[in-house]
Amino acid sequence: MKDVAIVGVGIHPFGRFDHGYRQIGEVAMRDCLADAALQPEDVDMVLVANVGAEMAKGHNIVNRVRYIGKPIINVEAACASGGSALSLGASLIESGAARTVLCVGVEKAPRGFVAGAGFESWQVESGLGVNPLYFSFQAQDLMRDKDVTVEDLADVAVKNHKHAVHNPNAMYRREITREEVLASRPVCDPLTLLMLCTPNEGAAAVVLMHKEEAARRGLDNSIRISGIGLVSRGADDWFVPAPSLQSDLTSITARAAEAALTQAGVGVDDIDVVECQDTDAASELIAYRDLGLCKKGEEAELLRSGATTLGGSIPVNVSGGLLSKGEPLGASGLGQIHELVTQLRGAAGARQVEDAKIGMAHVMGAGHNACVVVVQR
């Protein structure tokens, strides 16, 4: 993946808004094209990541900007939709099928828990098909088998909210305390309300371009996608939301991370900054081991050491993560790329990771799909 440059990024803040998904996506698309100094007709293809909107969603967004007469393809892979669109766009450029691809992620999620996550009917009818329930089971697994406490879960939320104070695109920008997290409303033991992300609204966009095309146009192509791993559940990957069975999808993220790092030709020790899927506090700790940031059983130790805090050796979710930004499902993965590009450009202000050169993004979607992306300058 040596030929794919990121020449532009754009974003619509994450939160709750009066306008619809079409307007939200339009803002991110215009912002991205302006950042790349491109016109809509300069792109060969548009990929639009979204989970819950109507049919022809991509066309409805793009046509608000301009009718371009180019292919517009909608991509859905639950929370991994944005990462999947990015992977498809990069592959199209690598194959020679396109020179310039615009990836847009957008969502206007309803309030409350995410529904329709692909469970079997018996799971839904028996009450097992609700997101926080299987998040709680994996948190319980983590606390039972590893050196993880409920205070550690709270501290993940504290860390990410502290990071979000300096992110103008985050939904929640206020520091919170461990005591506030633990005292917030119980949802599914051991998870409290402030240990869970909020499905919300927002959009993000990325323009991918072949490095030779970027050079021809005189665009800065110093930031590139150097590796992508996209993995879906296989026959040996179990995921059943029941306390009697281990709800561990380690192999999926671990395989995606290995593929991305191998393709990029770097090791996990070379990564300067990570944006990972923290739909709940336990998921971030699990990502530490799955992405190779620590060994199995050392998740809490890594957190407690301060290594994953801004200023630490491997800062994680300096954007505030989903716990602070909220999660507009189709946009969250591309929102991570927006943050990493901002970091690699040295333009993140008070949340800047010093001399960041290589970043890693990670999303996990129901189904289950894991996407890990390595970007570098």
Side-chain angles (χ1 to χ4, degrees):
M1 201 66 66
K2 306 297 184 184
D3 294 329
V4 182
I6 297 176
V7 298
V9 292
I11 198 163
H12 181 292
F14 293 4
R16 287 287 174 193
F17 309 98
D18 293 334
H19 42 286
Y21 84 89
R22 302 184 190 194
Q23 293 94 329
I24 291 171
E26 177 189 1
V27 169
M29 180 177 171
R30 289 185 183 277
D31 188 33
C32 184
L33 290 171
D35 185 53
L38 295 175
Q39 296 300 315
E41 57 268 25
D42 292 328
V43 304
D44 300 318
M45 186 175 294
V46 183
L47 305 177
V48 178
N50 175 270
V51 176
E54 61 200 341
M55 67 176 69
K57 58 200 78 173
H59 302 73
N60 292 333
I61 293 168
V62 174
N63 292 344
R64 288 185 64 87
V65 179
R66 191 171 304 168
Y67 289 88
I68 60 174
K70 306 289 181 64
I72 303 169
I73 300 175
N74 298 303
V75 179
E76 189 273 305
C79 298
S81 297
S84 298
L86 194 80
S87 176
L88 177 58
S91 296
L92 287 167
I93 291 174
E94 283 278 295
S95 70
R99 300 286 278 180
T100 305
V101 177
L102 172 63
C103 301
V104 181
V106 63
E107 203 73 52
K108 191 175 177 69
R111 295 179 184 275
F113 300 139
V114 174
F119 289 104
E120 298 289 344
S121 59
W122 69 265
Q123 294 169 325
V124 175
E125 291 167 5
S126 60
L128 295 173
V130 180
N131 280 43
L133 190 61
Y134 61 82
F135 292 155
S136 77
F137 288 149
Q138 71 176 10
Q140 290 173 27
D141 290 341
L142 193 66
M143 292 173 64
R144 182 183 64 245
D145 299 335
K146 313 292 185 301
D147 178 29
V148 174
T149 67
V150 69
E151 288 78 15
D152 292 318
L153 300 181
D155 288 346
V156 172
V158 170
K159 171 183 72 71
N160 291 355
H161 277 266
K162 183 176 181 179
H163 288 164
V165 168
H166 302 293
N167 183 0
N169 298 307
M171 184 174 186
Y172 303 111
R173 299 181 59 197
R174 180 181 69 85
E175 289 193 44
I176 57 177
T177 66
R178 176 193 284 183
E179 291 70 28
E180 283 182 89
V181 179
L182 295 175
S184 63
R185 190 175 70 204
V187 178
C188 288
D189 185 62
L191 301 175
T192 67
L193 188 63
L194 290 178
M195 295 178 190
L196 291 158
C197 77
T198 301
N200 63 354
E201 306 167 18
V206 177
V207 175
L208 305 179
M209 186 176 287
H210 194 285
K211 66 179 184 181
E212 292 178 356
E213 179 68 11
R216 185 185 73 81
R217 290 177 175 270
L219 299 176
D220 179 9
N221 63 1
S222 60
I223 296 176
R224 58 191 174 86
I225 294 179
S226 57
I228 296 181
L230 181 63
V231 177
S232 293
R233 182 173 59 184
D236 297 327
D237 301 307
W238 284 89
F239 184 80
V240 179
S244 61
L245 291 174
Q246 182 78 7
S247 54
D248 189 353
L249 286 164
T250 296
S251 59
I252 296 177
T253 290
R255 294 203 305 271
E258 181 181 12
L261 291 167
T262 299
Q263 190 177 80
V266 300
V268 71
D269 292 340
D270 298 313
I271 303 297
D272 298 308
V273 56
V274 174
E275 288 285 307
C276 75
Q277 182 91 7
D278 61 328
T279 41
D280 65 288
S283 289
E284 177 168 321
L285 294 176
I286 292 168
Y288 290 175
R289 72 164 190 249
D290 294 356
L291 296 174
L293 307 184
C294 69
K295 295 179 181 178
K296 192 172 184 178
E298 297 179 354
E299 301 89 346
E301 181 181 340
L302 184 66
L303 174 71
R304 295 168 192 165
S305 72
T308 59
T309 300
L310 184 62
S313 58
I314 181 64
V316 176
N317 286 331
V318 292
S319 67
L322 305 182
L323 289 172
S324 302
K325 293 187 299 183
E327 188 190 21
L329 279 71
S332 58
L334 294 176
Q336 291 178 342
I337 301 301
H338 181 279
E339 176 65 24
L340 293 179
V341 169
T342 302
Q343 290 287 340
L344 269 55
R345 287 175 173 176
R351 69 183 191 281
Q352 179 65 48
V353 175
E354 185 177 357
D355 197 29
K357 294 184 175 67
I358 305 178
M360 174 187 281
H362 159 253
V363 288
M364 171 72 79
H368 270 86
N369 311 282
C371 184
V372 175
V373 182
V374 177
V375 296
Q376 64 185 96
R377 61 175 172 88

